[in-house]
Structure formats: structure tokens, C-alpha cells
Amino acid sequence: MNRLLLSLVLAAPLIPVSTTGMAQSQFDGRWTVTTIPEKGACRRKHHYAIVVEKGVARNASGRTRANVTGGLEPDGRVRVGLQRRGAQVDVTGTLAGQSGSGHWIVAGRIDCSGRWTASKWG
């Protein structure tokens, strides 16, 4: 159960930006994203390394295995939907300056929700 959440939430902030090359470059660099479960079947928090280049975010390992919609907007809003193995993950939030935060919800095979925080370190 935690593996499914891990793979889905890991992919969430790694989505290509909907409008490349614009103001998103302010978010370029290395980010650490922490997901904190608050309700439901998910129990452990996880940390992920994210790289944003020219406004396009990706997992530092390069792995993403989900059908993804949405992404990072030029003003820093994060709105992402992911589908994988019968589960739907919705991620919302905002990046601003060197940090960000928001919420996530998983529905389907497992049900849980929580919040995420992000810190830019490179």
C-alpha cells in the first residue's frame, strides 16, 4: 500500500510544465519534497528529490510511471492529477521563492490524504 502511494506521490511534482520557458525558470534547481500523511491508510512520510530545469519538473531518478494531467503553472501553482493501477491522486499547492506546500489525496485501491512541503536547495 505504501509503495503505491510512494510511486503516485513521487510522480506528482514531476510533471512537465504546461507553459514551458516562461516564468517557471524561477523554480529551476533542486527541490526536496516531503509528503506527510494525515488521514487514511497511508502512515509514513516520504522524502523525494526533484529537479526543475527550464520550468519542467522531474524525479531526480527520472522514473515516472503514471498517467498524468496538469503541472506547474508560471505563477507557481501546482495542480496535478495522476492515475496508476486503479488509484487516483490529486495534488494541489503553490511554490514561491525557495519553498512550497500543498495537499494531496489518494482514492481508489487505497484512500488517504495529507500535505506536502518543498524546499529548494540548488
Side-chain angles (χ1 to χ4, degrees):
M1 183 167 16
N2 282 333
R3 273 186 196 219
L4 178 61
L5 172 65
L6 173 69
S7 64
L8 290 170
V9 173
L10 179 60
L14 317 176
I15 311 312
V17 176
S18 60
T19 316
T20 58
M22 294 177 64
Q24 298 93 332
S25 63
Q26 67 181 313
F27 304 114
D28 284 3
R30 296 177 182 263
W31 292 79
T32 299
V33 176
T34 302
T35 60
I36 303 109
E38 295 178 322
K39 294 180 184 176
C42 306
R43 300 282 181 234
R44 295 185 300 177
K45 73 175 164 180
H46 295 278
H47 304 278
Y48 307 101
I50 307 299
V51 176
V52 178
E53 294 175 313
K54 296 181 182 177
V56 177
R58 64 175 170 78
N59 179 332
S61 71
R63 293 178 292 182
T64 301
R65 298 181 199 153
N67 294 328
V68 180
T69 59
L72 174 63
E73 297 295 325
D75 63 0
R77 284 182 297 168
V78 177
R79 291 186 181 177
V80 177
L82 296 97
Q83 287 187 330
R84 182 172 182 218
R85 295 185 182 173
Q88 171 72 34
V89 180
D90 293 306
V91 180
T92 59
T94 306
L95 297 179
Q98 304 290 311
S99 64
S101 63
H103 293 90
W104 53 267
I105 298 171
V106 178
R109 288 181 48 197
I110 59 173
D111 293 316
C112 55
S113 62
R115 59 188 168 89
W116 61 269
T117 60
S119 298
K120 189 174 180 184
W121 56 275

